[in-house]
Amino acid sequence: MPNVKLIAAALAATLMGGSVPGVAAEPAASVTLPKPDTAGGKPLMQVLKERHSTREFSTAPLPTEVLANLLWAANGMNRPPSDKRTAPSAKGWHEIDVYVATAAGLYLYDARTHALKLVVAQDLRALTGQQDFVKDAPVNLVYVADFARMDAETSAEDRQLYAAADTGFIAQNVYLYCASQGLATVVRGWVDKGALAKAMQLKTRQQVILAQSVGYPRRQ
Ligand SMILES: Cc1cc2nc3c(=O)[nH]c(=O)nc-3n(C[C@H](O)[C@H](O)[C@H](O)COP(=O)(O)O)c2cc1C
């Protein structure tokens, strides 16, 4: 594992607009992430062998480079200039947005610019799930469907099905990246979705589908 404390301080400083961590400051409105490292990682078969859920997290934040790679693996653009992603998407709607709940605030991952946009300047991590460990994980991803991006000819039932399926692909990408990097993760449906949607200031056409905690495993 890299020097987590040093690198994590850099991420905290980045998200806090370059200020000293621990000193009250406004979180950065926008964070351009470093380019993903697409050369690294373990062989796929080994990653599949190691993929698993973990529910015990260290509170150490993720380094900026790790967060950048994680989000690109989740649903980043992998064939620019087209908008196509690392995860497939029904009819190419790309209706699932990846929100990133951190201590500094809630951010939206913008795959087109590979950047984070501040949505709510509050720590919403504890609201992203109903299990104790959720507040400890440095990053809780929240997968949100925007039904306005799906066509009206598709039935409501199929729209729900596609949103759930598309979320599953993204969540599995996160599982595989975490297995490759020795990170802890668990995808979660046990979420008070109404309360979370309110705190996230979602529109009525948006719906929380699942959440996923990511961090370093807690040392025993
Ligand atoms: C759609 C879905 C929802 C899940 N919801 C939760 C959850 O709310 N809390 C939790 O601790 N695990 C949750 N899990 C993780 C499963 O419990 C876990 O994948 C299962 O026990 C198998 O363990 P493994 O992932 O280590 O193979 C969920 C998994 C899926 C696919």
Side-chain angles (χ1 to χ4, degrees):
M1 191 160 62
N3 187 332
V4 174
K5 279 192 179 152
L6 275 182
I7 306 171
L11 173 62
T14 306
L15 293 179
M16 295 307 290
S19 67
V20 180
V23 176
E26 294 295 311
S30 177
V31 178
T32 302
L33 295 166
K35 276 193 174 165
D37 173 8
T38 56
K42 295 177 186 170
L44 177 63
M45 295 304 267
Q46 192 179 338
V47 166
L48 288 168
K49 193 164 180 283
E50 293 176 15
R51 186 220 63 84
H52 67 283
S53 297
T54 304
R55 295 174 186 81
E56 294 189 337
F57 293 85
S58 157
T59 54
L62 295 184
T64 313
E65 288 75 12
V66 173
L67 185 63
N69 289 341
L70 170 77
L71 292 169
W72 183 83
N75 200 26
M77 277 175 58
N78 69 349
R79 286 155 286 167
S82 102
D83 189 32
K84 301 214 184 263
R85 310 292 177 86
T86 55
S89 163
K91 301 198 187 184
W93 282 323
H94 302 302
E95 79 284 2
I96 305 301
D97 284 319
V98 180
Y99 286 78
V100 186
T102 71
L106 177 76
Y107 288 82
L108 172 64
Y109 175 57
D110 181 348
R112 290 177 189 89
T113 55
H114 191 54
L116 292 172
K117 310 280 179 205
L118 183 67
V119 179
V120 180
Q122 278 174 40
D123 183 356
L124 300 183
R125 287 176 299 166
L127 279 173
T128 68
Q130 297 183 279
Q131 292 164 279
D132 273 354
F133 64 81
V134 167
K135 64 178 185 332
D136 299 328
V139 166
N140 282 287
L141 303 176
V142 183
Y143 304 123
V144 174
D146 185 341
F147 289 98
R149 288 182 214 151
M150 299 168 127
D151 65 38
E153 291 82 63
T154 303
S155 69
E157 191 184 10
D158 277 352
R159 275 183 264 161
Q160 286 287 343
L161 176 75
Y162 291 149
D166 291 346
T167 299
F169 293 117
I170 297 171
Q172 179 71 348
N173 281 354
V174 169
Y175 265 112
L176 297 180
Y177 176 75
C178 289
S180 171
Q181 298 298 315
L183 294 169
T185 191
V186 60
V187 71
R188 298 180 288 96
W190 188 11
V191 178
D192 182 340
K193 293 177 182 165
L196 180 57
K198 197 170 169 198
M200 291 175 70
Q201 302 173 8
L202 297 184
K203 304 205 163 48
T204 47
R205 61 168 204 259
Q206 291 180 291
Q207 185 184 313
V208 173
I209 307 294
L210 292 171
Q212 187 161 9
S213 302
V214 181
Y216 289 100
R218 198 166 77 200
R219 297 245 176 265
Q220 298 305 321

